[in-house]
């Protein structure tokens, strides 16, 4: 990834101001499924903001990732309610079936598996969020079905 | 400059409006411990919390960090109460738990009482050497030196100063101001055979033409020449032989 035009086309959508940085990083994240190092460097050049500042932002926000993430994100809620309602089983199944550890990405770049601590929908426990879609009161087998469908989409 | 009077530990002092309590105290020989504050660095302070004091105003008392609390008319400060000492001990104990290797914090803590801590880091959980994540180093780099080579990365328990991606920085000038400012000696800077190593990068040192001592990184000379227009030959000799 050394072609800077792909970054510039995103950067150009915004005003040249420090206030735009986070929005641009979020766009990078959406576009590339992570914030690439070259993107940070380019952003620093164009905006004339020190690279150390932008890198610090990249490490601070949880919505941004500095390592490539999968096309799909699976978040398993491991908050108290979900934990009691069987989140550990869901997590284990996903880890086993997708051959990935929590907070990791599958080798084919399809899925990133994450744990979150209570998303505020405890009544639906155990909860799994797949690409922003909430799946409540599910068993691991059902989650696997949904995940498999995603993989084909 | 507007002058106001402020009371600290029962004595009344003149101070400039907006000066921080800590500075007024230090100017008048009253000791308040501090780690993350440096009067030369505008953005420093407010992070380590060892400088907490009682601030009484308008019949109310609050514990405030004296390094960034501006003195105001009618303010009365107490630095030596049982409450202040108890809180300070607690803060130091927590800092000591976090960076058990820091002599600076051990010494400061010993002066207050605690020599050991009731809290332990889980074995192998953190690799945080002596850093208390106070950000004085990154503030110095940004606001005093102006090169922005390092920043505070990550957050929460993993927060630490670092170069982008932990790689040797190409904007760093090797000046060592961060290492000098660090209150706990957490930043390693080594020098050997005319080469200085800091933040993972090696810097060739310029040698004094009189005494032969390597005394300033070439990259720092370049930076000063570029930003101030100073004559390069000025750096042929070290400060002692100019
Ligand atoms: S390295 Fe030193 S100055 Fe920098 S954040 Fe850590 S303790 Fe503070
Ligand atoms: S614990 Fe899972 S939503 Fe609250
Ligand atoms: S010296 Fe005041 S908070 Fe650190």
């Amino acid at each position: 990834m050394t072609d800077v035009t792909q970054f510039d086309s995103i950067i150009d959508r915004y005003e040249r101001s420090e206030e735009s940085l986070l929005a641009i990083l979020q766009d990078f994240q959406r576009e590339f499924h992570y914030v690439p190092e070259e993107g940070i460097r380019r952003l620093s050049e164009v905006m004339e903001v020190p690279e150390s500042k932008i890198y610090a932002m990249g490490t601070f926000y949880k919505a941004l990732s500095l390592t490539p993430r999968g096309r799909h994100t699976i978040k398993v809620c491991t908050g108290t309610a979900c934990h009691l309602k069987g989140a550990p089983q869901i997590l284990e199944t996903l880890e086993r079936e997708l051959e990935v550890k929590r907070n990791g990405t599958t080798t084919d770049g399809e899925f990133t598996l994450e744990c979150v601590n209570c998303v505020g929908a405890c009544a639906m426990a155990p909860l799994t969020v797949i690409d922003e879609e909430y799946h409540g009161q599910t068993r691991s087998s059902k989650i696997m079905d949904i995940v498999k469908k995603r993989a084909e989409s | 400059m507007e002058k106001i009077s402020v009371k600290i530990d029962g004595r009344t002092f003149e101070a400039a409006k907006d000066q921080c309590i800590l500075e007024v105290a230090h100017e008048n020989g009253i000791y308040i411990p501090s780690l993350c504050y440096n009067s030369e660095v505008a953005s420093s302070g407010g992070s380590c919390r060892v400088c907490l004091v009682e601030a009484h105003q308008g019949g109310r008392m609050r514990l405030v960090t004296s390094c960034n609390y501006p003195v105001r008319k009618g303010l009365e400060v107490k630095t030596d109460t049982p409450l202040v000492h108890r809180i300070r001990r607690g803060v130091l104990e927590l800092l000591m738990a976090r960076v058990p290797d820091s002599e600076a914090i051990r010494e400061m803590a010993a002066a207050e009482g605690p020599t050991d801590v009731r809290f332990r880091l889980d074995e192998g959980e953190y690799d945080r050497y002596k850093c208390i994540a106070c950000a004085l180093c990154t503030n110095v780099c940004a606001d005093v030196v102006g090169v922005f080579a390092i920043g505070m990365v990550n957050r929460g328990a993993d927060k630490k100063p670092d170069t982008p991606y932990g790689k040797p920085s190409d904007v760093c000038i090797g000046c060592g101001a961060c290492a000098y400012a660090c209150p706990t000696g957490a930043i390693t800077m080594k020098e050997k055979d005319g080469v200085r190593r800091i933040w993972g990068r090696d810097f060739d040192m310029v040698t004094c033409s009189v005494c032969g001592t390597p005394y300033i990184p070439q990259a720092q000379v370049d930076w000063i020449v570029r930003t101030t227009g100073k004559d390069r030959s000025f750096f042929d000799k070290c400060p002692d032989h100019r």
Side-chain angles (χ1 to χ4, degrees):
Chain A
M1 255 205 250
T2 38
D3 180 11
V4 295
T5 53
Q6 52 179 343
F7 304 122
D8 288 356
S9 62
I10 293 178
I11 300 173
D12 286 341
R13 296 207 286 260
Y14 292 89
E15 228 179 283
R16 295 268 183 283
S17 129
E18 279 205 35
E19 269 105 78
S20 312
L21 290 176
L22 185 56
I24 295 171
L25 290 175
Q26 280 175 311
D27 282 5
F28 282 176
Q29 178 75 41
R30 236 182 320 257
E31 179 83 18
F32 311 109
H33 301 291
Y34 80 115
V35 178
E37 189 173 339
E38 294 86 348
I40 290 191
R41 200 164 305 130
R42 182 63 185 163
L43 187 54
S44 153
E45 251 169 53
V46 176
M47 293 287 193
E48 295 177 11
V49 171
E51 195 184 344
S52 63
K53 264 198 185 176
I54 304 177
Y55 176 76
M57 287 176 79
T59 63
F60 184 83
Y61 293 101
K62 229 186 155 184
L64 304 174
S65 164
L66 296 175
T67 47
R69 283 220 252 196
R71 229 163 38 95
H72 306 286
T73 309
I74 309 172
K75 294 181 189 148
V76 180
C77 178
T78 50
T80 313
C82 293
H83 181 87
L84 291 173
K85 287 282 195 169
Q89 285 83 332
I90 295 182
L91 195 58
E92 266 167 41
T93 310
L94 285 167
E95 286 187 326
R96 191 178 56 242
E97 298 284 321
L98 295 175
E99 296 178 26
V100 66
K101 285 260 162 275
R102 59 199 71 181
N103 299 321
T105 299
T106 52
T107 39
D108 60 3
E110 279 294 311
F111 295 101
T112 294
L113 182 62
E114 287 177 358
C115 298
V116 288
N117 296 316
C118 190
V119 293
C122 307
M124 289 166 74
L127 199 87
T128 308
V129 188
I130 305 176
D131 293 336
E132 312 297 311
E133 240 177 67
Y134 287 57
H135 300 274
Q137 287 160 347
T138 42
R139 309 188 153 275
S140 8
S141 53
K142 170 106 184 284
I143 292 294
M144 271 321 295
D145 288 346
I146 302 169
V147 165
K148 275 186 200 133
K149 274 208 202 90
R150 283 284 157 151
E152 287 152 16
S153 72
Chain B
M1 202 190 306
E2 200 185 328
K3 289 274 180 192
I4 53 168
S5 64
V6 46
K7 214 166 163 187
I8 306 181
D9 293 344
R11 291 155 65 200
T12 305
F13 304 108
E14 279 259 286
K17 187 165 174 275
D18 287 338
Q19 224 185 334
C20 67
I21 297 174
L22 185 89
E23 255 177 38
V24 182
H26 283 185
E27 275 169 16
N28 293 288
I30 294 172
Y31 171 74
I32 301 172
S34 68
L35 289 166
C36 70
Y37 176 73
N38 184 316
S39 56
E40 304 296 321
V41 190
S43 49
S44 69
S47 137
C48 72
R49 311 204 84 75
V50 294
C51 69
L52 284 168
V53 296
E54 287 183 21
H56 298 254
Q57 189 140 35
R60 289 177 56 218
M61 188 280 280
R62 288 202 295 152
L63 281 169
V64 302
T65 42
S66 60
C67 67
N68 60 1
Y69 196 88
V71 294
R72 286 283 189 290
K73 220 168 150 184
L75 175 73
E76 182 176 356
V77 178
K78 293 183 182 166
T79 73
D80 199 16
T81 65
L83 176 67
V84 167
H85 285 289
R86 185 157 59 79
I87 300 282
R88 196 183 284 167
R89 273 201 299 277
V91 169
L92 282 163
E93 206 179 342
L94 286 165
L95 286 172
M96 216 169 13
R98 178 152 172 177
V99 288
D101 297 340
S102 161
E103 301 81 13
I105 288 176
R106 283 203 168 273
E107 269 169 36
M108 195 175 269
E112 280 294 328
T115 50
D116 201 11
V117 280
R118 291 167 290 170
F119 321 105
R120 291 268 174 269
L121 290 177
D122 289 349
E123 203 62 52
E125 194 183 353
Y126 301 113
D127 169 27
R128 227 191 283 89
Y129 50 109
K130 296 178 185 173
C131 175
I132 57 168
C134 71
L136 186 51
C137 52
T138 56
N139 286 331
V140 166
C141 186
D143 300 348
V144 180
V145 188
V147 303
F148 294 89
I150 49 173
M152 295 306 286
V153 307
N154 306 329
R155 63 165 158 178
D158 300 316
K159 190 164 152 182
K160 60 171 186 181
D162 207 349
T163 56
Y165 296 92
K167 293 182 184 170
S169 155
D170 43 9
V171 295
C172 182
I173 56 171
C175 70
C178 51
Y180 177 78
C182 176
T184 62
I187 299 171
T188 13
M189 179 165 86
K190 287 215 173 87
E191 232 166 282
K192 211 181 144 222
D193 305 329
V195 176
R196 170 183 290 182
R197 190 176 186 84
I198 186 164
W199 293 112
R201 186 174 149 196
D202 289 328
F203 291 89
D204 288 329
M205 303 295 281
V206 172
T207 305
C208 171
S209 61
V210 180
C211 63
T213 315
Y215 81 98
I216 189 172
Q218 185 62 54
Q220 187 177 357
V221 172
D222 296 345
W223 164 262
I224 298 173
V225 168
R226 198 164 66 239
T227 53
T228 69
K230 206 166 189 60
D231 200 64
R232 191 170 282 277
S233 61
F234 178 81
F235 298 98
D236 290 348
K237 298 175 192 156
C238 74
D240 288 346
H241 294 106
R242 273 173 204 156

